[in-house]
Amino acid sequence: MTKMTLGAHPYMLGFEQLERLLERSAKAGNDGYPPFNIEQTSARSYRITLAVAGFREEDLAITLEDSQLVIRGRQSDDGEGRHFLHRGIAARQFQRSFVLADGVEVGDAIMENGLLHVDLTRVEPENVVQTIAIKKG
């Protein structure tokens, strides 16, 4: 028995890109840092919250790249000239990626108490019924 992929299923036409997106998101550099929550705030909206204590707004970048929401953080190392007896809080960079479905729009990004909130909204597509004319061959 052979395993059928989403792009090879006979009734699922044009979904090859979705399969590539899933593969790419599985390979993305999401190593568990920083921790995050995803909550559904209404029937059509979501909020991603990342714990980014120690980061300033200017240390963070949020981009939308080919249906992928990418959040990057890079702290400047301000430890030069300082002598640490213990350094448990390191300046660490990160990249978090989230694949967004068609129709999901990125809204506000809010920094609050060491948490970065990114709001998403799913736009409801309108139902369209189209009649296709049959031509004689």
Side-chain angles (χ1 to χ4, degrees), residues 44-48 62 64 69 100 103-110 116-123:
R44 293 192 185 119
S45 62
Y46 308 91
R47 176 173 265 191
I48 299 171
I62 303 170
L64 189 58
L69 176 67
L100 303 181
V104 174
E105 297 178 353
V106 180
D108 293 330
I110 303 160
L116 175 65
H117 305 287
V118 180
D119 293 324
L120 308 170
T121 305
R122 182 172 42 93
V123 178

Side-chain angles (χ1 to χ4, degrees), residues 14 23 30 48 60 68:
E23 288 174 7
N30 292 334
I48 299 171
L60 301 169
Q68 208 169 18

Side-chain angles (χ1 to χ4, degrees), residues 84-104:
F84 290 95
L85 298 178
H86 172 74
R87 185 159 187 181
I89 303 171
R92 182 174 176 189
Q93 63 184 17
F94 70 87
Q95 177 174 315
R96 276 266 177 217
S97 300
F98 303 90
V99 177
L100 303 181
D102 288 340
V104 174

Side-chain angles (χ1 to χ4, degrees), residues 1 9-10 17 28 31 41 46 48 50 55 74 94 105 118:
M1 176 183 251
H9 194 280
Q17 182 179 357
D31 65 352
T41 54
Y46 308 91
I48 299 171
L50 284 86
F55 287 87
R74 178 177 296 229
F94 70 87
E105 297 178 353
V118 180

Side-chain angles (χ1 to χ4, degrees), residues 7-134:
H9 194 280
Y11 302 120
M12 304 292 283
L13 303 175
F15 285 90
E16 298 84 7
Q17 182 179 357
L18 178 61
E19 193 167 6
R20 284 192 297 272
L21 273 173
L22 289 171
E23 288 174 7
R24 187 171 61 180
S25 68
K27 294 177 186 175
N30 292 334
D31 65 352
Y33 177 79
F36 67 95
N37 292 337
I38 300 175
E39 62 182 300
Q40 186 168 5
T41 54
S42 75
R44 293 192 185 119
S45 62
Y46 308 91
R47 176 173 265 191
I48 299 171
T49 301
L50 284 86
V52 291
F55 287 87
R56 300 169 297 168
E57 286 102 359
E58 53 268 15
D59 296 333
L60 301 169
I62 303 170
T63 57
L64 189 58
E65 305 168 8
D66 294 329
S67 300
Q68 208 169 18
L69 176 67
V70 180
I71 303 171
R72 293 180 179 93
R74 178 177 296 229
Q75 289 177 311
S76 56
D77 189 9
D78 62 350
E80 290 185 34
R82 296 168 69 186
H83 178 70
F84 290 95
L85 298 178
H86 172 74
R87 185 159 187 181
I89 303 171
R92 182 174 176 189
Q93 63 184 17
F94 70 87
Q95 177 174 315
R96 276 266 177 217
S97 300
F98 303 90
V99 177
L100 303 181
D102 288 340
V104 174
E105 297 178 353
V106 180
D108 293 330
I110 303 160
M111 185 81 138
E112 175 183 53
N113 299 326
L115 299 174
L116 175 65
H117 305 287
V118 180
D119 293 324
L120 308 170
T121 305
R122 182 172 42 93
V123 178
E124 195 67 33
E126 60 183 63
N127 291 333
V128 177
V129 176
Q130 183 179 0
T131 302
I132 310 299
I134 301 173

